[in-house]
Amino acid sequence: MEKRGRLGKPTSSQSPQASQATPRKERRPSMFEKEAYTQILRERLRESIHDVQYVEPPFDDSIADIGKEWKSALAKLKFANSYRMEPLKKFQAHTVEIKVQQILTESLTDVQYDQKVFSHLSLELADRILLAVKEFGYHRYKFIIKILFIQKTGQAINVSSRGIWDVAWDSWVAAKHETESYVALALVFALYCE
């Protein structure tokens, strides 16, 4: 005899069609299975919101055969907080200013003012300056590069920036290149991230 629910319909637990319609969730693999260890590790790293300093290598030698994947996974990891409150190397504004001024002078010799050209040139200059500043090796500093091209038409301009600032470690640099038709201004902000 068939069991019926309140309204006279068969209950879902008894219906053979209802059990086929809902697919079962796939079982999560155990971390002790050889192939599943790397899959679990990848999922945890992808879902992690924390930076990882060190991941223990697999305890089974047979898993070590996937060396290339393991090394590439570790190469993408960032380091966890070491609670260092001050930089190993403080930002040297005068050396960076010399380098930025050199880049501006080299890049803008014999360049006439053109609004369309300068929109792309500002991006290229910002990238070049960022790469040059990163070569100095200021670890844990974030850099903001701002490039301004101002056409000389007899006007005055004031440029200002605002932000939360740590006077002890944060700094900034300004470099200027001037021609008869325009002024190029490059601003580099160095912000220490603890």
Side-chain angles (χ1 to χ4, degrees):
M1 188 166 175
E2 188 177 318
K3 281 190 172 182
R4 301 224 174 231
R6 280 185 159 174
L7 300 173
K9 295 180 182 174
T11 59
S12 62
S13 61
Q14 300 294 325
S15 173
Q17 294 171 347
S19 63
Q20 292 173 356
T22 56
R24 286 190 167 201
K25 246 186 171 177
E26 195 171 304
R27 179 180 73 86
R28 267 184 87 180
S30 169
M31 68 179 273
F32 298 106
E33 296 174 15
K34 294 178 184 178
E35 296 81 23
Y37 183 79
T38 55
Q39 180 185 354
I40 291 171
L41 182 65
R42 280 191 202 116
E43 288 175 7
R44 286 182 183 170
L45 291 177
R46 186 174 42 248
E47 295 170 0
S48 175
I49 59 169
H50 302 289
D51 295 335
V52 179
Q53 184 176 11
Y54 177 73
V55 177
E56 188 173 321
F59 41 82
D60 190 1
D61 290 337
S62 63
I63 298 176
D65 296 337
I66 47 170
K68 290 181 182 176
E69 293 178 20
W70 181 256
K71 287 179 184 176
S72 66
L74 286 178
K76 294 176 186 174
L77 297 178
K78 297 179 182 177
F79 291 100
N81 194 350
S82 65
Y83 302 103
R84 183 182 315 272
M85 300 302 287
E86 57 188 40
L88 295 172
K89 181 179 177 183
K90 190 175 177 183
F91 184 76
Q92 302 291 326
H94 60 280
T95 57
V96 173
E97 184 178 3
I98 292 168
K99 186 66 177 177
V100 172
Q101 186 67 47
Q102 180 185 358
I103 291 171
L104 278 179
T105 307
E106 289 173 359
S107 300
L108 298 176
T109 53
D110 301 329
V111 176
Q112 295 299 319
Y113 185 82
D114 184 12
Q115 187 176 2
K116 294 178 183 176
V117 172
F118 279 173
S119 64
H120 298 290
L121 187 61
S122 62
L123 294 173
E124 291 173 14
L125 274 174
D127 289 340
R128 283 187 61 193
I129 290 172
L130 181 62
L131 289 174
V133 171
K134 283 186 175 182
E135 286 177 1
F136 284 106
Y138 298 115
H139 298 289
R140 294 184 176 213
Y141 273 95
K142 302 274 185 193
F143 299 105
I144 300 170
I145 315 292
K146 194 173 188 178
I147 307 290
L148 299 168
F149 288 106
I150 305 149
Q151 184 179 13
K152 285 186 177 178
T153 56
Q155 81 280 14
I157 186 167
N158 289 327
V159 178
S160 64
S161 298
R162 209 171 177 184
I164 298 173
W165 199 261
D166 182 5
V167 179
W169 309 119
D170 298 343
S171 187
W172 67 282
V173 168
K176 182 173 83 169
H177 179 77
E178 190 169 350
T179 66
E180 62 274 349
S181 61
Y182 66 91
V183 175
L185 183 65
L187 301 171
V188 178
F189 299 95
L191 308 170
Y192 180 68
C193 295
E194 299 169 350

